[in-house]
Amino acid sequence: MTIRPEALLHPTAEGLYCPFGKFHVDPVRPVERALITHGHSDHARPGHGHVLATRQTLDIMRLRCGPEFAGSTQAVAYGEKIAIEGTDVCFHPAGHVLGSAQISIERDGMRIVVSGDYKRSADPTCTPFEPVGCDVFITEATFGLPVFHHPSPSIEIGKLLASLRQFPERSHLVGAYALGKAQRVISLLRHAGYDRPIYIHGALSRLCDYYESEGVMLGDLRPATGEDPDARDFRGAVVVGPPSAFNDRWARRFSEPLSVFASGWMMVRQRAKQRGVELPLVISDHCDWPELTTTISELSPGQVWVTHGREEALVRWCELQGIAARPLHLVGYEDEGD
């Protein structure tokens, strides 16, 4: 007899919980057993008793949280099925950042897939999203409004290259989140033929080194954090750093800095204006509205549960398509990798 999906997985204060397997998925508080979809800090938190994740996610957690981030860890490969207390779990590529995964949870004829964060657009820095058939699909909805139609990343990176040609004397300071977005922007520049040195904030160094060790070629990267550098060295240069770095003294060393920010939120002009961004680049590591709805149509699940984002609009769209849907109203998840 097939069990009800709510019996297999349901929201708790700590996050999604599977009572049969006695584990949480991406818990926001320390728990005994955690399954982690990817390394962004709102999903991958330290302090759990045992963590199961892909090898790359575990490596990233060590880099970001320190070697003692969990009591014990276990690495799982994409497609590898593991039984936990009689419940089968399997990790599948999510296409979000390096090592990111969807997690399928299956027991007694019921399969739920937790997407974590995911995207469908091409990205050479991580393994592409893999559709997984399921009874219940739990989808994020970071950009879950019909207004969000993200342009091609190659078009957006072309805007940066055009600005470099137009303002060869200005340092182009690109704000990009440290995990995933920074490496993707650098990779997009390289694929577009930009072969000059790219300068990076020190906060990106270890993650960029790790991406390269995993076969993601980022080209000539140089530090942009030396003491009292000659600002002339950065004329016409691309400098990549975490968005927060551009509000402190570090940013003042550059030559006539031109503010750039790579994010799906740059579609919202007010957000760009509030940040003082001169050149907004709409480059997102999440699905836009067409990708969300296309994915749900492709999977054709019996139910869709919607979490962390614009839940109501996507729930309503599902209902109009005849798909049962509900918002989960989980808290504690932000848009670090937007």
Side-chain angles (χ1 to χ4, degrees), residues 48-85:
H48 305 307
H50 180 77
V51 170
L52 178 67
T54 65
R55 176 187 59 80
Q56 291 170 328
T57 292
L58 292 176
D59 288 345
I60 288 167
M61 290 183 73
R62 288 188 189 95
L63 286 174
R64 306 191 91 191
C65 305
E68 306 300 324
F69 69 87
S72 62
T73 63
Q74 181 181 353
V76 58
Y78 289 136
E80 178 184 358
K81 185 176 289 188
I82 294 178
I84 303 176
E85 306 280 352

Side-chain angles (χ1 to χ4, degrees), residues 70-108:
S72 62
T73 63
Q74 181 181 353
V76 58
Y78 289 136
E80 178 184 358
K81 185 176 289 188
I82 294 178
I84 303 176
E85 306 280 352
T87 300
D88 290 332
V89 300
C90 190
F91 285 58
H92 310 269
H96 180 55
V97 297
L98 191 65
S100 62
Q102 308 167 79
I103 303 175
S104 66
I105 302 166
E106 189 169 4
R107 187 182 180 109
D108 297 338

Side-chain angles (χ1 to χ4, degrees), residues 203-224:
L204 307 184
S205 297
R206 289 192 300 170
L207 283 168
C208 287
D209 287 346
Y210 180 71
Y211 266 66
E212 289 228 303
S213 75
E214 291 295 303
V216 180
M217 296 297 100
L218 302 177
D220 185 358
L221 301 182
R222 301 183 186 181

Side-chain angles (χ1 to χ4, degrees), residues 258-273:
L258 190 152
S259 174
V260 186
F261 188 35
S263 166
W265 293 113
M266 290 298 96
M267 273 199 70
V268 183
R269 292 182 181 179
Q270 188 62 24
R271 288 216 180 192
K273 185 177 179 181

